[in-house]
mmCIF file with all atom_site columns, all heavy atoms in Angstrom:
data_model
loop_
_atom_site.group_PDB
_atom_site.id
_atom_site.type_symbol
_atom_site.label_atom_id
_atom_site.label_alt_id
_atom_site.label_comp_id
_atom_site.label_asym_id
_atom_site.label_entity_id
_atom_site.label_seq_id
_atom_site.pdbx_PDB_ins_code
_atom_site.Cartn_x
_atom_site.Cartn_y
_atom_site.Cartn_z
_atom_site.occupancy
_atom_site.B_iso_or_equiv
_atom_site.pdbx_formal_charge
_atom_site.auth_seq_id
_atom_site.auth_comp_id
_atom_site.auth_asym_id
_atom_site.auth_atom_id
_atom_site.pdbx_PDB_model_num
ATOM 1  N N   . CYS T 1 50 ? 8.642  -11.515 0.252   1.00 92.00 ? 50 CYS T N   1
ATOM 2  C CA  . CYS T 1 50 ? 8.121  -12.870 0.239   1.00 92.00 ? 50 CYS T CA  1
ATOM 3  C C   . CYS T 1 50 ? 9.052  -13.849 -0.446  1.00 92.00 ? 50 CYS T C   1
ATOM 4  O O   . CYS T 1 50 ? 8.676  -14.822 -0.972  1.00 92.00 ? 50 CYS T O   1
ATOM 5  C CB  . CYS T 1 50 ? 6.757  -12.915 -0.417  1.00 92.00 ? 50 CYS T CB  1
ATOM 6  S SG  . CYS T 1 50 ? 6.726  -12.590 -2.158  1.00 92.00 ? 50 CYS T SG  1
ATOM 7  N N   . HIS T 1 51 ? 10.352 -13.458 -0.415  1.00 94.00 ? 51 HIS T N   1
ATOM 8  C CA  . HIS T 1 51 ? 11.405 -14.209 -1.119  1.00 94.00 ? 51 HIS T CA  1
ATOM 9  C C   . HIS T 1 51 ? 11.516 -15.664 -0.508  1.00 94.00 ? 51 HIS T C   1
ATOM 10 O O   . HIS T 1 51 ? 11.651 -15.789 0.697   1.00 94.00 ? 51 HIS T O   1
ATOM 11 C CB  . HIS T 1 51 ? 12.688 -13.412 -0.929  1.00 94.00 ? 51 HIS T CB  1
ATOM 12 C CG  . HIS T 1 51 ? 13.822 -13.994 -1.616  1.00 94.00 ? 51 HIS T CG  1
ATOM 13 N ND1 . HIS T 1 51 ? 15.145 -13.455 -1.443  1.00 94.00 ? 51 HIS T ND1 1
ATOM 14 C CD2 . HIS T 1 51 ? 14.059 -15.051 -2.449  1.00 94.00 ? 51 HIS T CD2 1
ATOM 15 C CE1 . HIS T 1 51 ? 16.026 -14.135 -2.127  1.00 94.00 ? 51 HIS T CE1 1
ATOM 16 N NE2 . HIS T 1 51 ? 15.419 -15.097 -2.757  1.00 94.00 ? 51 HIS T NE2 1
ATOM 17 N N   . VAL T 1 52 ? 11.533 -16.633 -1.417  1.00 96.00 ? 52 VAL T N   1
ATOM 18 C CA  . VAL T 1 52 ? 11.715 -18.038 -0.931  1.00 96.00 ? 52 VAL T CA  1
ATOM 19 C C   . VAL T 1 52 ? 12.773 -18.793 -1.917  1.00 96.00 ? 52 VAL T C   1
ATOM 20 O O   . VAL T 1 52 ? 13.026 -18.288 -3.001  1.00 96.00 ? 52 VAL T O   1
ATOM 21 C CB  . VAL T 1 52 ? 10.436 -18.871 -0.921  1.00 96.00 ? 52 VAL T CB  1
ATOM 22 C CG1 . VAL T 1 52 ? 9.459  -18.273 0.019   1.00 96.00 ? 52 VAL T CG1 1
ATOM 23 C CG2 . VAL T 1 52 ? 9.814  -18.946 -2.383  1.00 96.00 ? 52 VAL T CG2 1
ATOM 24 N N   . PHE T 1 53 ? 13.294 -19.842 -1.452  1.00 97.00 ? 53 PHE T N   1
ATOM 25 C CA  . PHE T 1 53 ? 14.120 -20.696 -2.236  1.00 97.00 ? 53 PHE T CA  1
ATOM 26 C C   . PHE T 1 53 ? 13.359 -21.965 -2.567  1.00 97.00 ? 53 PHE T C   1
ATOM 27 O O   . PHE T 1 53 ? 12.778 -22.555 -1.741  1.00 97.00 ? 53 PHE T O   1
ATOM 28 C CB  . PHE T 1 53 ? 15.417 -21.075 -1.523  1.00 97.00 ? 53 PHE T CB  1
ATOM 29 C CG  . PHE T 1 53 ? 16.254 -19.849 -1.100  1.00 97.00 ? 53 PHE T CG  1
ATOM 30 C CD1 . PHE T 1 53 ? 16.627 -19.706 0.190   1.00 97.00 ? 53 PHE T CD1 1
ATOM 31 C CD2 . PHE T 1 53 ? 16.565 -18.838 -2.060  1.00 97.00 ? 53 PHE T CD2 1
ATOM 32 C CE1 . PHE T 1 53 ? 17.390 -18.598 0.561   1.00 97.00 ? 53 PHE T CE1 1
ATOM 33 C CE2 . PHE T 1 53 ? 17.362 -17.734 -1.619  1.00 97.00 ? 53 PHE T CE2 1
ATOM 34 C CZ  . PHE T 1 53 ? 17.726 -17.612 -0.283  1.00 97.00 ? 53 PHE T CZ  1
ATOM 35 N N   . LEU T 1 54 ? 13.420 -22.361 -3.843  1.00 96.00 ? 54 LEU T N   1
ATOM 36 C CA  . LEU T 1 54 ? 12.803 -23.635 -4.292  1.00 96.00 ? 54 LEU T CA  1
ATOM 37 C C   . LEU T 1 54 ? 13.946 -24.519 -4.777  1.00 96.00 ? 54 LEU T C   1
ATOM 38 O O   . LEU T 1 54 ? 15.020 -23.989 -5.106  1.00 96.00 ? 54 LEU T O   1
ATOM 39 C CB  . LEU T 1 54 ? 11.786 -23.418 -5.345  1.00 96.00 ? 54 LEU T CB  1
ATOM 40 C CG  . LEU T 1 54 ? 10.612 -22.475 -5.025  1.00 96.00 ? 54 LEU T CG  1
ATOM 41 C CD1 . LEU T 1 54 ? 9.774  -22.317 -6.196  1.00 96.00 ? 54 LEU T CD1 1
ATOM 42 C CD2 . LEU T 1 54 ? 9.821  -23.048 -3.810  1.00 96.00 ? 54 LEU T CD2 1
ATOM 43 N N   . GLU T 1 55 ? 13.733 -25.805 -4.830  1.00 95.00 ? 55 GLU T N   1
ATOM 44 C CA  . GLU T 1 55 ? 14.697 -26.686 -5.407  1.00 95.00 ? 55 GLU T CA  1
ATOM 45 C C   . GLU T 1 55 ? 14.808 -26.496 -6.907  1.00 95.00 ? 55 GLU T C   1
ATOM 46 O O   . GLU T 1 55 ? 13.778 -26.186 -7.580  1.00 95.00 ? 55 GLU T O   1
ATOM 47 C CB  . GLU T 1 55 ? 14.383 -28.181 -5.036  1.00 95.00 ? 55 GLU T CB  1
ATOM 48 C CG  . GLU T 1 55 ? 14.582 -28.378 -3.572  1.00 95.00 ? 55 GLU T CG  1
ATOM 49 C CD  . GLU T 1 55 ? 13.613 -29.426 -3.062  1.00 95.00 ? 55 GLU T CD  1
ATOM 50 O OE1 . GLU T 1 55 ? 12.378 -29.310 -3.362  1.00 95.00 ? 55 GLU T OE1 1
ATOM 51 O OE2 . GLU T 1 55 ? 13.972 -30.342 -2.349  1.00 95.00 ? 55 GLU T OE2 1
ATOM 52 N N   . LYS T 1 56 ? 15.991 -26.708 -7.418  1.00 93.00 ? 56 LYS T N   1
ATOM 53 C CA  . LYS T 1 56 ? 16.194 -26.381 -8.845  1.00 93.00 ? 56 LYS T CA  1
ATOM 54 C C   . LYS T 1 56 ? 15.179 -27.041 -9.834  1.00 93.00 ? 56 LYS T C   1
ATOM 55 O O   . LYS T 1 56 ? 14.645 -26.349 -10.646 1.00 93.00 ? 56 LYS T O   1
ATOM 56 C CB  . LYS T 1 56 ? 17.651 -26.780 -9.235  1.00 93.00 ? 56 LYS T CB  1
ATOM 57 C CG  . LYS T 1 56 ? 18.147 -26.139 -10.532 1.00 93.00 ? 56 LYS T CG  1
ATOM 58 C CD  . LYS T 1 56 ? 19.535 -26.367 -10.764 1.00 93.00 ? 56 LYS T CD  1
ATOM 59 C CE  . LYS T 1 56 ? 19.930 -25.911 -12.179 1.00 93.00 ? 56 LYS T CE  1
ATOM 60 N NZ  . LYS T 1 56 ? 21.156 -26.506 -12.660 1.00 93.00 ? 56 LYS T NZ  1
ATOM 61 N N   . PRO T 1 57 ? 14.957 -28.343 -9.686  1.00 93.00 ? 57 PRO T N   1
ATOM 62 C CA  . PRO T 1 57 ? 13.985 -28.980 -10.667 1.00 93.00 ? 57 PRO T CA  1
ATOM 63 C C   . PRO T 1 57 ? 12.559 -28.310 -10.513 1.00 93.00 ? 57 PRO T C   1
ATOM 64 O O   . PRO T 1 57 ? 11.857 -28.165 -11.525 1.00 93.00 ? 57 PRO T O   1
ATOM 65 C CB  . PRO T 1 57 ? 13.930 -30.428 -10.193 1.00 93.00 ? 57 PRO T CB  1
ATOM 66 C CG  . PRO T 1 57 ? 15.060 -30.633 -9.282  1.00 93.00 ? 57 PRO T CG  1
ATOM 67 C CD  . PRO T 1 57 ? 15.498 -29.283 -8.779  1.00 93.00 ? 57 PRO T CD  1
#
Side-chain angles (χ1 to χ4, degrees):
Chain T
C50 70
H51 182 186
V52 297
F53 302 126
L54 302 177
E55 290 146 312
K56 198 173 168 200

